[in-house]
């Protein structure tokens, strides 16, 4: 069992939760993820790692379906969850590129920014972070943003209520035109990542994206997270989850992510009705 040591709202939808998991802290590198189980009969859900400190792992979680909602509603500091498996997947490839942009528009990617910012800075990069939220009231508290870890930090909101008005892709287009950006690390909503891949192809910039696919075992055994990649097949859990955006078949990724929407909706409705 893994004890919960911290829990805090990030906005109306997203929350921070911290659990004791020293085995993960010892081996984790940015880009790797964990799979948690809330109870022994619960589903296995993959989560990015936002913070690692003194044997504790912090995650940013969106209340999206049954399990993420149940964890928020029924578990508090001092309670324990059943499993935290990991670290799983590969560390994201990092190098000294010069100027690098980190971009995120959803919970998992905001989490990934923190570790990436630290490591890319250590390697000598100038790191620019862009974090997109729907509106001002969804922007995370300062301590959970990449703000203090990077050279330049931008908030964008879709409605323009805070920071730059628009999506990270809009601001990134401007940066690519004015600055010598050599690499982009982006995660978030899959349709945005598809657009990002299209907007940057042939521009001489390396683009790594977090390809979130539905996972079961998380070790390459079940085939659930398969991604059509570079003309072949890859598995997000075993070969990713970070991939070169220009080599991913995004239409296939989008199709596969929607496979269980109907049963997921039913599971949440059933849980809420209980
Ligand atoms: C590598 C990776 C990192 C992730 N990091 C985060 C994170 O930091 N924060 C966060 O909130 N979410 C993250 N996710 C997504 C998270 O796993 C799903 O939101 C979660 O499984 C939802 O479970 P649920 O029961 O609440 O919702 P459900 O209703 O079961 O699912 C809602 C949606 O979540 C996705 N999903 C559901 N089950 C899985 C599964 N087993 N594997 C992958 N995706 C699934 C699908 O898009 C689905 O439509 C990550 C996924 C992957 C693959
Ligand atoms: S989750 Fe089973 S192969 Fe990736």
């Amino acid at each position: 069992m893994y004890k919960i040591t911290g829990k805090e709202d990030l906005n109306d939808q997203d929350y921070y939760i911290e659990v004791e998991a020293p085995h993960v802290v010892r081996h984790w590198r940015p880009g790797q993820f964990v799979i948690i189980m809330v109870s022994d009969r619960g589903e296995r859900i993959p989560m990015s790692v936002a913070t690692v400190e003194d044997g504790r792992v912090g995650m940013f979680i969106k209340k999206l379906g049954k399990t993420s909602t149940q964890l928020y509603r029924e578990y508090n500091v001092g309670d324990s969850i059943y499993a935290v498996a990991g670290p799983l997947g590969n560390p994201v490839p990092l190098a000294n590129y010069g100027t690098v942009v980190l971009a995120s528009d959803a919970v998992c990617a905001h989490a990934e920014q923190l570790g990436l910012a630290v490591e890319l800075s250590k390697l000598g990069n100038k790191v620019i972070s862009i974090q997109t939220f729907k509106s001002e009231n969804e922007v995370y508290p300062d301590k959970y943003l990449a703000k203090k870890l990077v050279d330049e930090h931008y908030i964008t909101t879709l409605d323009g209520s805070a920071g730059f008005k628009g999506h990270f892709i809009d601001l990134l287009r401007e940066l690519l035109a004015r600055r010598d950006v050599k690499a982009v690390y982006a995660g978030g909503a899959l349709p945005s990542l598809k657009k990002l891949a299209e907007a940057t192809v042939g521009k001489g910039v390396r683009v790594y994206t977090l390809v979130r696919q539905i996972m079961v075992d998380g070790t390459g055994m079940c085939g659930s997270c398969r991604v059509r990649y570079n003309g072949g097949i890859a598995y997000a859990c075993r070969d990713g989850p970070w991939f070169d955006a220009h080599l991913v078949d995004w239409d296939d990724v989008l199709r596969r992510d929607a496979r269980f929407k109907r049963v997921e909706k039913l599971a949440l409705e059933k849980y809420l009705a209980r």
Side-chain angles (χ1 to χ4, degrees), residues 101 128 169-182 184 199-200 203 205:
V101 172
I128 302 173
I169 297 178
D170 304 317
L171 184 52
L172 182 65
R173 275 203 184 95
E174 287 190 15
L175 289 175
L176 290 175
R178 293 190 276 119
R179 310 277 286 270
D180 192 21
V181 175
K182 288 285 193 264
V184 175
T200 51
K203 295 233 158 49
V205 57

Side-chain angles (χ1 to χ4, degrees), residues 113-134:
Q113 279 221 10
L114 305 181
L116 286 173
V118 171
E119 293 302 317
L120 285 163
S121 298
K122 270 192 210 156
L123 288 168
N125 290 286
K126 180 179 176 66
V127 184
I128 302 173
S129 153
I130 314 174
Q131 298 194 259
T132 297
F133 297 87
K134 270 197 200 126

